[in-house]
Amino acid sequence: TLDVTSSMRQDNICEFPFARKADETITFTSVDKGVDYRATNGASGEMPARATTNYPVGQRTFMRTDWSQNALALGMTNKLEGSHGHNDALSIAMFAYGKYLLTDQGYGSVQTGNTMYYMKSPQQHNLVTVNDSRDYIVGGYVISDVRAESYDTVTKKDGEQMAFDSNKLFDFVEYKTDAYTTTQNSQRSVTFLKNQKFWIVTDYHIPTDTSVTNEFAQNWHLYPGAKMTIDSDTKVIESHFVNEPNVMVVPVDPSTIDKTEIRGTWYSENGGQIVDSQKGMLYRNKKGNGVFSTIIMPMDVGEDYTITTNKLTNSLSDENINLFSFNVKNEVTNKESKFYYYHVNEASMQTTVN
């Protein structure tokens, strides 16, 4: 696997993975100059015409503003088959303005046993877990139940890319998977508004048993040292790096969040090191399907934004639609913009909003 963006080192968000024999020499033709550029971090080749790249067979998508180290970039994976080994279908990671902000927690590859299973489990990735929120770190050690209760809740089965679109204004991708044994179907879409420089994430989960109360938990991992906070009213998760870029994770409908939690976890910058880290968790406990709508707003040094949201309703069930408006106010320039968002989770239900 080639490391093409130093700020996003982890295996599931690496830009261009491929295998070759140890004695095989790769020669890049003129057609491959864009690949050469990505594989050498821009040392040779030509910058690709498009910054966003999508691999529907490999089930990975990378949304970018450009190819610089200060770009806004988000990687999403839905790949489980193969040698990767992490149970992380539908997970995302993001960096912006040269700072790794929403992290993949890394390999911990020198670890063995329960620690290894914990680092590879769904809990250790930015995704929604269903009935799998137990804290497996006790007294600085991972407890023995992590493999049976978290790691093994995923089958090694690839899902499907449902949609992809990319142009000068926005990127959009949607994936689904039935690999999680606690759900019949898990689905996530990501919309990137390039000029406005933020992402909208929707999550849709049909649990194995919709007739009982299930626990849906969003997991958001921030880079170590973030001094994470969660607002008691808005449920906004925010980092507080000093003189560095930061990020806000904004739930669209905080009234549906039953509980929030900041939990200590581990982050592995490389295979031989594990350091303390934090993640924010947003819980919903309910019967039926689990739906989240979330805005991810990175902020450069000196920037300050306030986001206010308004959940809208129509003739469709709240479990199957993401419909809301939101205002983004730049507190530095005092400029405010309003947005409307509409997304139907099940394609068969797409219809005109009433």
Side-chain angles (χ1 to χ4, degrees):
T1 301
L2 299 179
D3 176 18
V4 300
T5 309
S6 58
S7 297
M8 298 177 72
R9 296 183 177 86
Q10 314 312 329
D11 54 343
N12 77 318
I13 48 176
C14 194
E15 166 60 31
F16 192 72
F18 65 96
R20 64 185 178 91
K21 298 177 181 178
D23 59 351
E24 180 183 355
T25 300
I26 296 177
T27 301
F28 290 103
T29 67
S30 59
V31 178
D32 301 317
K33 288 182 179 180
V35 175
D36 193 6
Y37 184 92
R38 297 196 292 270
T40 62
N41 282 329
S44 61
E46 295 179 359
M47 182 185 298
R50 287 180 173 269
T52 292
T53 51
N54 181 55
Y55 306 99
V57 177
Q59 299 207 35
R60 291 179 173 91
T61 303
F62 306 89
M63 301 175 173
R64 297 186 189 81
T65 52
D66 56 73
W67 288 95
S68 73
Q69 289 297 314
N70 289 322
L72 275 65
L74 180 146
M76 181 175 179
T77 181
N78 196 40
K79 184 71 176 173
L80 287 174
E81 294 181 358
S83 61
H84 171 58
H86 285 221
N87 292 346
D88 60 352
L90 303 179
S91 68
I92 62 176
M94 183 273 289
F95 77 90
Y97 309 111
K99 180 72 176 180
Y100 202 3
L101 292 169
L102 295 179
T103 58
D104 178 279
Q105 298 307 91
Y107 278 108
S109 58
V110 299
Q111 305 300 318
T112 58
N114 298 323
T115 300
M116 177 187 68
Y117 290 122
Y118 174 71
M119 294 299 289
K120 292 183 176 183
S121 72
Q123 270 206 21
Q124 277 292 88
H125 297 85
N126 296 318
L127 48 77
V128 175
T129 56
V130 181
N131 301 326
D132 180 28
S133 66
R134 181 174 177 180
D135 190 351
Y136 294 98
I137 301 178
V138 178
Y141 297 91
V142 179
I143 60 178
S144 60
D145 294 336
V146 65
R147 178 167 188 177
E149 294 189 4
S150 185
Y151 179 80
D152 283 342
T153 60
V154 185
T155 61
K156 293 298 183 182
K157 177 182 178 183
D158 281 347
E160 176 187 347
Q161 184 176 103
M162 300 175 65
F164 173 76
D165 194 7
S166 180
N167 54 54
K168 292 182 179 180
L169 298 179
F170 70 89
D171 295 330
F172 175 82
V173 72
E174 187 161 26
Y175 287 100
K176 70 175 181 179
T177 180
D178 61 0
Y180 293 102
T181 59
T182 55
T183 64
Q184 302 175 49
N185 179 55
S186 295
Q187 201 167 298
R188 168 169 276 183
S189 78
V190 180
T191 303
F192 180 29
L193 297 183
K194 299 179 181 180
N195 294 333
Q196 290 75 26
K197 299 183 178 179
F198 60 78
W199 287 269
I200 300 170
V201 178
T202 69
D203 291 299
Y204 176 63
H205 296 264
I206 305 175
T208 304
D209 187 350
T210 59
S211 66
V212 301
T213 298
N214 291 283
E215 178 192 76
F216 304 89
Q218 269 193 336
N219 298 263
W220 296 108
H221 298 80
L222 302 189
Y223 194 79
K227 299 179 181 178
M228 180 191 301
T229 60
I230 303 181
D231 188 273
S232 59
D233 295 323
T234 64
K235 309 300 189 289
V236 171
I237 299 172
E238 189 168 359
S239 67
H240 299 277
F241 295 105
V242 179
N243 296 323
E244 293 184 279
N246 282 286
V247 63
M248 290 193 301
V249 179
V250 183
V252 167
D253 191 358
S255 67
T256 63
I257 305 300
D258 297 304
K259 185 179 76 170
T260 65
E261 180 184 4
I262 296 177
R263 181 179 292 180
T265 184
W266 291 337
Y267 172 78
S268 178
E269 183 78 16
N270 53 62
Q273 180 187 34
I274 288 179
V275 298
D276 290 334
S277 180
Q278 288 182 316
K279 68 175 177 179
M281 302 180 70
L282 306 178
Y283 295 87
R284 295 192 68 184
N285 297 296
K286 63 186 297 292
K287 295 180 180 180
N289 303 335
V291 177
F292 293 88
S293 298
T294 311
I295 301 166
I296 299 175
M297 170 65 79
M299 298 175 289
D300 201 358
V301 177
E303 291 185 335
D304 183 19
Y305 291 94
T306 299
I307 298 178
T308 55
T309 61
N310 180 33
K311 184 74 168 64
L312 303 176
T313 60
N314 75 334
S315 58
L316 298 182
S317 166
D318 283 345
E319 291 189 344
N320 297 309
I321 190 171
N322 312 98
L323 178 62
F324 56 90
S325 65
F326 59 100
N327 287 49
V328 178
K329 183 179 180 181
N330 186 324
E331 298 292 353
V332 177
T333 65
N334 209 35
K335 180 180 178 180
E336 189 166 358
S337 301
K338 187 166 188 174
F339 303 87
Y340 290 87
Y341 188 81
Y342 166 55
H343 171 261
V344 174
N345 293 308
E346 295 187 27
S348 61
M349 294 184 61
Q350 290 183 358
T351 184
T352 302
V353 178
N354 295 319

